[in-house]
Amino acid sequence: MTALELLRFPFVQYALIVSALMAVCASLIGVPLVLKRYSFMGFGLSNVAFMGMAFAIVIDATNSLAIVMPLTVAATILLIGFGNRFKKISGDASLAMITVGSLAIGHFAINTFSMRGNITADVSETLFGGMRLLTLQMPDVWQSIALTAAVIFFFAFFYRRIFAITFDVDFMQATGQRPLIYELLLSAITGVVIAMSMNLLGSLLTASLIIFPALSAMRLFKSYKTVVIFAAIAAATCSLLGILVSILFELPVTTTIILMNITLFLVLLAVDTLRKILV
Amino acid sequence: MSLSISDLSIGYDGVAILDDINFNINSGSYLCIVGENGTGKSTLLKTISNLHKPIFGDISFGVSRREIGYLSQQTAVQKDFPATVSEIVATGTLSKGKWYRPFYSKQEKELISWAIEKTNITDIRDKCFRELSGGQQRRVLLARALVGAKNFIILDEPTTGLDPAATKDFYELLEKLNRNDGITIIMVTHDVESAIRYATHVLHLQSDDYFFGTLGEYSQLRKGGADE
């Protein structure tokens, strides 16, 4: 079967559209996260979303997002929005506790309370995605179109402020602005994107989409604007290629996408290093 | 435009480092805040800059904070930040821009160009911040502070990590802004000798006391201290 023939199947079309859109969303929020040294936050928060998903499985909820979303958004606001301001425990330690703790609680909950038969498949699917991505329906597509439109609008509209809170919160505070409002807004959007992405792509892919495209873009580009735009394009391209390759060669879909992202990063890292040596 | 501090107590978690701070400076002044490490000069500056809550007392500029420029110490995040000089300087306008406007206006763009010229960074305005020298980076952050505030700038140890030549350049630039453009300057610094000769006023913090006066008075005091 060729790639072109594949495109005729609705399930392939849905997977391509949704994964590309979610990649755009995750990579957009990834740029400020990575620049603020919150790279690991994406993984921690994906694990919180995993715990939410586990709860949803346990109570057999019809709409798992109703549980995953509020939990993830709350954790994001707590960690990113307020993280710097009221630290009793260091940010690094609280993040590590949340990452490990939520994974353990989620796993415990599924194994202890779930009435469903195949627990291992549930856990694996929630962490690594895969089946879900290839069995999407039209409503999932609409959902991700709506989210992407909202995220792009938010980024375009508040672009200057997002840049400012990423670069220097103190400057905003000292000049009588209210950075906290924008930090909370960005945290809330981050939480929503992670919850949705976790639901559709699994937690590992979500965490990768937050870090790799942003880091790749930073190797190549020198202005914030070009970094943001390239991260989004790179993420979407890796996802599209990853899905086609994985179906054609019968590879695991989400980890193939991640490997695409890693490869791109390594290539750009090599280019950047060579450029520095030669110039 | 002036700054008046009355009955100010600064410190952390309700424990005061320094009590009862009172002083005034008029517009056009150049105040250096000096003192040993641990006497609270950084805490004082952060308190004045709204980054830290005072335990007690009043800080009044006579104008909104949005009229004031701020130049912080270099943060780890800024060191390898992928952004151009103009992108960074431009954020200086945000303190006055309306939140619902997504782009910079023509007027703001002119202001940005003005600040870039003033700080002699026109030739590097499209360069990436992380590729600049320490001295250039300081100038970029100074330009950003100028965009938001043409009259009043607060600086927190702006020459930390700069070599002597770059330090001298930076101080001379500040002096020009103060003398020629009448910009009021408040600066915390650790290198007393080279910094204070440009100042009009000095605030010297000690472990539980402080001295405030003009540069002349401060020099007298220091000379007197040395004679004894």
Side-chain angles (χ1 to χ4, degrees):
Chain A
M1 198 165 17
T2 68
L4 222 57
E5 285 165 353
L6 269 183
L7 292 177
R8 287 207 310 265
F9 296 102
F11 86 93
V12 178
Q13 295 167 2
Y14 295 161
L16 289 173
I17 295 170
V18 169
S19 66
L21 290 177
M22 292 316 297
V24 168
C25 291
S27 58
L28 281 180
I29 58 161
V31 173
L33 281 187
V34 167
L35 285 172
K36 288 197 89 150
R37 305 283 192 277
Y38 288 158
S39 303
F40 198 69
M41 205 73 87
F43 186 59
L45 291 167
S46 311
N47 281 345
V48 172
F50 165 80
M51 180 172 71
M53 193 68 100
F55 292 158
I57 290 172
V58 166
I59 63 166
D60 220 357
T62 41
N63 183 4
S64 53
L65 265 185
I67 295 169
V68 177
M69 189 81 84
L71 201 65
T72 315
V73 171
T76 316
I77 289 178
L78 221 60
L79 277 172
I80 301 178
F82 290 115
N84 294 345
R85 281 159 212 269
F86 311 102
K87 51 168 98 134
K88 287 277 174 242
I89 308 168
S90 84
D92 167 58
S94 50
L95 180 57
M97 285 195 294
I98 286 179
T99 308
V100 175
S102 52
L103 202 55
I105 295 171
H107 183 261
F108 183 85
I110 290 189
N111 277 280
T112 315
F113 306 113
S114 175
M115 297 298 151
R116 305 238 289 250
N118 197 343
I119 289 165
T120 320
D122 276 345
V123 172
S124 167
E125 179 61 28
T126 318
L127 283 176
F128 303 113
M131 279 318 289
R132 175 94 174 89
L133 185 54
L134 299 177
T135 53
L136 294 169
Q137 302 296 320
M138 225 22 220
D140 300 317
V141 176
W142 285 120
Q143 222 174 37
S144 37
I145 289 175
L147 178 72
T148 311
V151 169
I152 289 178
F153 175 78
F154 171 76
F155 260 79
F157 196 81
F158 291 112
Y159 173 78
R160 303 183 301 170
R161 258 91 188 180
I162 294 172
F163 174 85
I165 56 172
T166 315
F167 185 72
D168 195 346
V169 176
D170 279 358
F171 179 78
M172 290 183 86
Q173 183 79 33
T175 52
Q177 305 176 62
R178 295 198 183 84
L180 185 61
I181 293 176
Y182 299 102
E183 286 181 288
L184 291 180
L185 213 54
L186 183 62
S187 310
I189 300 262
T190 303
V192 171
V193 169
I194 290 176
M196 282 275 275
S197 170
M198 152 78 200
N199 186 36
L200 297 167
L201 312 176
S203 61
L204 192 67
L205 181 53
T206 300
S208 318
L209 287 173
I210 287 173
I211 49 173
F212 283 112
L215 288 168
S216 298
M218 283 166 64
R219 294 281 76 75
L220 211 55
F221 292 96
K222 292 168 195 275
S223 82
Y224 193 75
K225 195 183 271 169
T226 47
V227 165
V228 169
I229 293 170
F230 180 80
I233 293 173
T237 312
C238 285
S239 290
L240 294 175
L241 279 177
I243 288 182
L244 291 178
V245 168
S246 76
I247 299 177
L248 280 175
F249 298 98
E250 294 182 26
L251 301 168
V253 55
T254 52
T255 35
T256 304
I257 299 176
I258 297 175
L259 289 181
M260 289 272 173
N261 277 289
I262 294 176
T263 311
L264 179 67
F265 172 75
L266 291 176
V267 169
L268 294 181
L269 181 67
V271 170
D272 190 36
T273 314
L274 270 179
R275 191 171 56 183
K276 273 182 190 137
I277 294 171
L278 293 177
V279 174
Chain B
M1 175 106 53
S2 60
L3 169 69
S4 82
I5 304 275
S6 44
D7 302 329
L8 184 68
S9 274
I10 55 165
Y12 288 91
D13 297 325
V15 182
I17 306 176
L18 201 57
D19 278 318
D20 239 351
I21 310 167
N22 289 282
F23 67 86
N24 293 294
I25 56 168
N26 292 325
S27 83
S29 303
Y30 187 145
L31 170 68
C32 266
I33 304 177
V34 298
E36 296 292 313
N37 284 338
T39 49
K41 50 186 198 302
S42 214
T43 311
L44 174 62
L45 198 81
K46 287 200 166 68
T47 311
I48 294 174
S49 316
N50 195 29
L51 297 173
H52 194 78
K53 283 208 162 57
I55 293 177
F56 184 79
D58 283 316
I59 299 158
S60 154
F61 288 98
V63 289
S64 153
R65 278 201 183 277
R66 291 172 186 258
E67 303 290 330
I68 289 156
Y70 176 73
L71 201 159
S72 57
Q73 292 189 36
Q74 183 105 341
T75 63
V77 168
Q78 291 169 4
K79 251 183 155 169
D80 56 354
F81 205 89
T84 63
V85 167
S86 355
E87 279 183 314
I88 290 168
V89 176
T91 59
T93 63
L94 290 179
S95 58
K96 294 201 193 71
K98 294 271 183 281
W99 68 270
Y100 50 80
R101 287 223 352 261
F103 303 109
Y104 294 111
S105 68
K106 198 171 162 234
Q107 220 175 358
E108 285 167 337
K109 280 181 186 152
E110 278 166 11
L111 200 58
I112 294 161
S113 291
W114 168 82
I116 284 178
E117 256 166 58
K118 258 301 183 239
T119 49
N120 305 325
I121 50 171
T122 314
D123 51 330
I124 52 165
R125 65 179 293 167
D126 295 319
K127 284 234 165 124
C128 184
F129 187 70
R130 64 183 168 200
E131 286 163 3
L132 304 180
S133 71
Q136 290 172 322
Q137 290 187 339
R138 298 281 99 185
R139 279 162 189 268
V140 172
L141 298 183
L142 180 63
R144 177 184 63 165
L146 275 177
V147 168
K150 286 181 170 176
N151 305 311
F152 203 123
I153 294 180
I154 301 176
L155 306 97
D156 192 358
E157 308 229 11
T159 57
T160 306
L162 297 190
D163 60 47
T167 302
K168 189 161 168 281
D169 279 355
F170 191 82
Y171 284 147
E172 280 170 1
L173 179 58
L174 281 183
E175 189 194 17
K176 237 189 262 170
L177 292 172
N178 176 250
R179 302 282 191 273
N180 304 347
D181 301 278
I183 294 170
T184 312
I185 290 173
I186 300 182
M187 174 170 72
V188 161
T189 181
H190 59 278
D191 66 315
V192 182
E193 298 312 323
S194 60
I196 64 166
R197 57 193 156 105
Y198 305 103
T200 59
H201 293 79
V202 178
L203 176 66
H204 185 131
L205 302 185
Q206 283 160 324
S207 55
D208 53 4
D209 199 7
Y210 69 88
F211 164 85
F212 174 80
T214 62
L215 181 63
E217 290 165 350
Y218 184 65
S219 305
Q220 281 289 312
L221 189 81
R222 294 226 298 173
K223 233 192 277 163
D227 287 345
E228 275 165 24

